Amino acid sequence: MRCAITGHQDLLNAATIYWVSEQIRVFLNEESVETGVTCLAVGSDQIFAQQLLYCGKNYEVIIPCKNYENTFTYKKDANQFNSLLKNASKLIILEFPAPSEEAFLAAGQYAVSNSDMLLAIWDNKPAKGLGGTADIVSFAIQNRKRVFHINPFTRKKIYIEVK
């Protein structure tokens, strides 16, 4: 099974990051995920890739645009991105000339379209900008993909019913 990821970049604290990491690991094993699809954004995406590696599974990386690495505010985040990028089984680079909300939306849609299901690390609130987590969840539901929703702040987990 192929699983895409969408999720928050800021998970607020170490306890939440640890809890999300554990939930992702359990999910990967319960769902028999073989390959992950990620943009390796800070936060949820990078945790997903780390857990895939930990579980001995592959992941493919979608780079939304040229100069994507310039979107990382902190050097440690860029270093983590580059480290995880080296372990990708496949790399897809979209043709957007620069970072933009449109590029991020397209990357999320590409990830969902090329996966069997979506893992959403999401607070259940509207997206703050085009291509945010809520937009990708909506796209997955519209395309009849299974969505497993982990809310990192309420610590609830559910499958979103696709009709």
Side-chain angles (χ1 to χ4, degrees), residues 5-11 20 24 38 41-49 121-122 152:
I5 179 76
T6 189
H8 296 300
Q9 293 187 11
D10 185 3
L11 295 171
V20 167
I24 290 173
T38 174
V42 171
S44 299
D45 274 57
Q46 290 188 4
I47 294 168
F48 180 65
I121 312 299
W122 177 43

Side-chain angles (χ1 to χ4, degrees), residues 17 21 24-25 28 38 40 43-57 59 80-81 83-84 87:
I17 291 167
S21 297
I24 290 173
R25 186 177 310 148
L28 292 172
T38 174
L40 291 181
S44 299
D45 274 57
Q46 290 188 4
I47 294 168
F48 180 65
Q50 290 165 342
Q51 292 306 313
L52 284 158
L53 282 175
Y54 180 85
C55 294
K57 300 175 186 292
Y59 57 88
Q80 181 71 17
F81 166 79
S83 176
L84 290 166
N87 290 301

Side-chain angles (χ1 to χ4, degrees), residues 5-11 24 37-50 59-64 68-74 76-82 84-85 103-105 107-108 111 121 131-133 136:
I5 179 76
T6 189
H8 296 300
Q9 293 187 11
D10 185 3
L11 295 171
I24 290 173
V37 184
T38 174
C39 295
L40 291 181
V42 171
S44 299
D45 274 57
Q46 290 188 4
I47 294 168
F48 180 65
Q50 290 165 342
Y59 57 88
E60 299 173 1
V61 175
I62 294 136
I63 304 294
Y68 180 58
E69 59 280 356
N70 293 338
T71 64
F72 296 99
T73 304
Y74 302 104
K76 69 175 180 62
D77 295 331
N79 289 343
Q80 181 71 17
F81 166 79
N82 286 314
L84 290 166
L85 188 61
F104 302 144
L105 176 63
I121 312 299
T133 303
I136 304 308

Side-chain angles (χ1 to χ4, degrees), residues 81-144:
F81 166 79
N82 286 314
S83 176
L84 290 166
L85 188 61
K86 292 175 187 171
N87 290 301
S89 61
K90 184 176 181 182
L91 178 63
I92 297 103
I93 303 172
L94 301 185
E95 293 296 319
F96 288 87
S100 66
E101 290 184 350
E102 290 78 13
F104 302 144
L105 176 63
Q109 290 175 336
Y110 184 96
V112 168
S113 296
N114 289 279
S115 298
D116 301 305
M117 72 177 301
L118 176 68
L119 173 61
I121 312 299
W122 177 43
D123 63 6
N124 213 30
K125 293 180 181 172
K128 292 180 182 171
L130 185 65
T133 303
D135 293 338
I136 304 308
V137 170
S138 243
F139 180 81
I141 292 168
Q142 289 168 4
N143 285 275
R144 307 187 55 77

